[in-house]
């Protein structure tokens, strides 16, 4: 973005801060910011954490609860108050938080509501680690999927199906980081799509194993060659 320099008296020059950045970190009049010279650059930074992003929703129905919480997590909300109706609903909420929402914990629970909140922040280094781990798991999954189908290894197929939950957890975390601009992606949209496609690749291998577990088919050589080419 471009900012015009404002001249005050003879020696003072000012530029305005980007509004979205100031709002994100809660920068207000009178706050102190760190200003560093770096060659032809001037770096302005704050030690503040990202401003909290809260929402309150009413949910009921197991599938709806899981999908909504996952969507709000990826969207970047830091605190979510959920109004629920039945004991089954709170069981689904607890299960979703524990299995899918990295960095979130339940901080308050009542008869008809529960509050979940981010207790561990996302950093650039963590994002890089999570994205790299996603690739590592997908490579291992692709190789093991081929072996499992070729040898009809039921145990290995079940392991691949279970591993997909962890791949989903990693990619949800990465998408949340991208939406909160806590990643190295300069272009948010393409970066988000890349991570989402990685998650769908994991789903593809899981679906292959689930299908074979259900149908118990004899896999011919041509199918194995196709899976091998996909892996490459």
């Amino acid at each position: 973005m471009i900012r015009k320099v404002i001249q005050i008296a003879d020696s003072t020059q000012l530029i305005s801060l980007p509004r979205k950045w100031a709002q994100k970190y809660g920068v207000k009049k009178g706050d102190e910011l760190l200003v560093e010279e770096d060659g032809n650059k001037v770096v302005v930074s704050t030690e503040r954490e990202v401003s909290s992003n809260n929402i309150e929703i009413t949910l009921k129905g197991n599938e709806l609860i899981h999908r909504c919480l996952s969507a709000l997590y990826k969207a970047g909300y830091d605190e979510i108050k959920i109004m629920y109706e039945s004991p089954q609903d709170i069981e689904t909420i607890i299960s979703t938080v524990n299995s899918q929402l990295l960095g979130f914990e339940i901080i308050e629970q009542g008869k008809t509501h529960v509050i979940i909140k981010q207790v561990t922040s996302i950093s650039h280094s963590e994002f890089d680690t999570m994205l790299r781990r996603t690739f590592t798991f997908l490579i291992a999954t692709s190789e093991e999927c081929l072996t499992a189908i070729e040898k009809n290894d039921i145990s290995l197929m079940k392991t691949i199906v279970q591993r997909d939950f962890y791949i989903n957890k990693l990619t949800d975390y990465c998408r949340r980081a991208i939406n909160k601009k806590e990643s190295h992606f300069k272009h948010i949209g393409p970066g988000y799509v890349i991570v989402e496609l990685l998650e769908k690749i994991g789903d593809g291998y899981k679906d292959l194993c689930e299908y074979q577990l259900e149908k118990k088919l004899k896999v011919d050589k041509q199918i194995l060659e196709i899976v091998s080419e996909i892996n490459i």
Side-chain angles (χ1 to χ4, degrees):
M1 60 187 71
I2 303 297
R3 288 285 188 267
K4 286 188 176 181
V5 176
I6 303 170
Q7 186 74 41
I8 304 295
D10 294 329
S11 59
T12 303
Q13 294 176 315
L14 307 175
I15 61 169
S16 61
L17 295 172
R19 179 168 174 75
K20 286 185 178 180
W21 181 85
Q23 288 180 327
K24 179 179 178 180
Y25 290 96
V27 178
K28 298 180 178 62
K29 179 181 177 181
D31 288 347
E32 292 185 345
L33 300 175
L34 180 63
V35 180
E36 299 175 282
E37 294 184 21
D38 181 12
N40 67 342
K41 300 176 184 178
V42 174
V43 180
V44 180
S45 59
T46 175
E47 293 183 353
R48 286 174 178 265
E49 296 292 333
V50 177
S51 299
S52 182
N53 193 5
N54 304 343
I55 191 171
E56 181 176 331
I57 56 172
T58 299
L59 293 177
K60 57 182 178 180
N62 289 357
E63 186 65 21
L64 179 66
I65 289 173
H66 173 77
R67 290 186 177 274
C68 283
L69 289 183
S70 178
L72 293 172
Y73 174 82
K74 288 180 285 189
Y77 286 97
D78 302 311
E79 185 175 310
I80 306 170
K81 182 176 182 179
I82 307 145
M83 308 302 296
Y84 66 92
E85 292 185 348
S86 69
Q88 290 75 25
D89 291 341
I90 187 60
E91 287 177 9
T92 304
I93 292 169
I94 294 172
S95 173
T96 301
V97 172
N98 291 338
S99 64
Q100 291 294 114
L101 310 189
L102 264 173
F104 268 64
E105 298 286 349
I106 294 173
I107 61 168
E108 183 178 317
Q109 182 177 338
K111 290 184 178 180
T112 58
H113 81 279
V114 63
I115 298 175
I116 63 175
K117 185 176 181 179
Q118 176 181 295
V119 295
T120 305
S121 61
I122 296 170
S123 71
H124 287 168
S125 60
E126 288 171 341
F127 174 84
D128 292 344
T129 300
M130 295 299 182
L131 186 59
R132 191 178 300 110
R133 194 171 295 168
T134 300
F135 274 101
T136 301
F137 271 94
L138 283 176
I139 290 169
T141 297
S142 68
E143 294 169 350
E144 291 174 4
C145 181
L146 178 60
T147 300
I149 294 173
E150 186 176 17
K151 297 183 177 181
N152 196 30
D153 189 329
I154 303 299
S155 177
L156 187 54
M157 290 182 201
K158 290 180 179 179
T159 298
I160 292 168
V161 171
Q162 289 299 316
R163 183 186 294 151
D164 186 63
F165 288 103
Y166 191 61
I167 292 174
N168 291 344
K169 197 172 184 178
L170 290 171
T171 53
D172 282 356
Y173 188 92
C174 288
R175 282 177 279 185
R176 173 178 171 81
I178 291 170
N179 278 331
K180 291 180 76 65
K181 298 179 176 58
E182 298 293 341
S183 73
H184 294 305
F185 282 111
K186 293 182 179 179
H187 303 289
I188 302 302
Y192 192 95
V193 171
I194 287 169
V195 176
E196 184 150 325
L197 289 174
L198 292 177
E199 189 266 330
K200 292 185 182 299
I201 290 170
D203 287 345
Y205 285 109
K206 179 200 70 171
D207 292 343
L208 277 173
C209 290
E210 284 184 331
Y211 187 82
Q212 181 63 5
L213 284 168
E214 179 185 354
K215 302 296 183 180
K216 298 178 174 61
L217 302 174
K218 182 178 180 181
V219 182
D220 61 38
K221 184 178 178 181
Q222 185 181 10
I223 295 297
L224 294 174
E225 289 175 351
I226 291 172
V227 175
S228 179
E229 288 178 10
I230 290 171
N231 289 354
I232 294 170

